């Protein structure tokens, strides 16, 4: 039995991006309103822990916490901690059992296969956020990008959109890349750049 998606290629991309962030960049802006780079990294760490445990069906404080309840942050040793947790996240979702039944993340009960799609989307879009905020090149894993795009297209049709995970869709030209389409569907402007002082 195989899993629908190996998150390993995308988690490695995110880990490489994070490793290249300088201390001076930690206070810089990101495409996520109200989140500096350090807060985005803290969010990536928190979601990696939560979705690792969701894959393992190890439900508790890590899967019950609303990610919007506090502004995430990082502490000493965050580079090693994030890299290790991203590896654990990918390993947990390599178990076919991770994709079956129900689980919980962010305090929300949902089918495990949907949770897998959500975490793929989070890794792809926040990888873009981090790369764009820190001036790095970014090419997401094609399989993870395809999963994220499918998830985001479905979310774009949700009548409650704008009151949950995503802001309004940002229209992009038909000729746009798949990544730019995903970014626009996530409520971000693919042309976003940090404002230089």
């Amino acid at each position: 039995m195989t899993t629908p998606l190996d998150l390993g290629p995308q988690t490695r991309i995110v880990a490489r991006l994070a490793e290249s962030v300088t201390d001076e960049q930690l206070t810089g802006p990101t495409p996520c309103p109200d989140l500096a780079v350090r807060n985005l990294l803290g969010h990536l760490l928190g979601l990696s822990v939560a979705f690792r445990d969701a894959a393992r069906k190890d439900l508790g404080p890590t899967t019950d916490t609303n990610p919007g309840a506090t502004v995430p942050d990082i502490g000493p040793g965050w580079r090693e901690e994030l890299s290790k947790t991203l590896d654990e996240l990918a390993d947990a979702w390599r178990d076919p059992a991770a994709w079956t039944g129900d689980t919980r993340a962010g305090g929300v009960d949902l089918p495990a296969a949907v949770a897998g799609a959500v975490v793929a989307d989070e890794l792809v879009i926040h990888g873009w956020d981090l790369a764009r905020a820190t001036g790095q090149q970014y090419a997401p894993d094609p399989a993870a990008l395809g999963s994220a795009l499918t998830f985001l297209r479905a979310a774009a049709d949700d009548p409650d959109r704008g009151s949950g995970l995503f802001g309004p869709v940002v229209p992009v030209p038909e000729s746009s890349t798949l990544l730019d389409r995903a970014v626009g569907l996530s409520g971000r402007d693919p042309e976003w750049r940090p404002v230089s002082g």
Side-chain angles (χ1 to χ4, degrees), residues 15-36:
R16 283 196 299 270
L17 290 169
E19 286 165 8
S20 297
V21 174
T22 66
D23 289 345
E24 292 73 24
Q25 291 174 320
L26 291 176
T27 56
T30 73
C32 305
D34 304 322
L35 293 188

Side-chain angles (χ1 to χ4, degrees), residues 30-124:
T30 73
C32 305
D34 304 322
L35 293 188
V37 170
R38 66 179 303 120
N39 307 125
L40 175 60
L41 289 162
H43 177 63
L44 278 163
L45 180 57
L47 76 86
S48 297
V49 170
F51 281 94
R52 175 201 66 196
D53 293 348
R56 296 172 176 171
K57 312 297 194 297
D58 183 11
L59 308 184
T62 61
T63 60
D64 290 348
T65 303
N66 179 337
T70 60
V71 176
D73 205 349
I74 49 172
W78 66 266
R79 284 182 175 84
E80 296 78 12
E81 186 181 5
L82 179 58
S83 179
K84 175 177 176 284
T85 307
L86 284 165
D87 284 345
E88 292 171 350
L89 171 69
D91 285 344
W93 285 98
R94 286 190 183 107
D95 182 350
W99 298 85
T100 63
D102 293 320
T103 191
R104 184 181 311 128
V108 177
D109 293 317
L110 69 171
V114 173
V118 170
V119 73
D121 170 65
E122 292 271 337
L123 291 167
V124 167

Side-chain angles (χ1 to χ4, degrees), residues 146-167:
S147 175
L149 200 50
T150 298
F151 175 76
L152 288 162
R153 283 178 175 144
D157 296 330
D158 185 342
D160 294 330
R161 186 185 173 95
S163 62
L165 289 175
F166 310 106

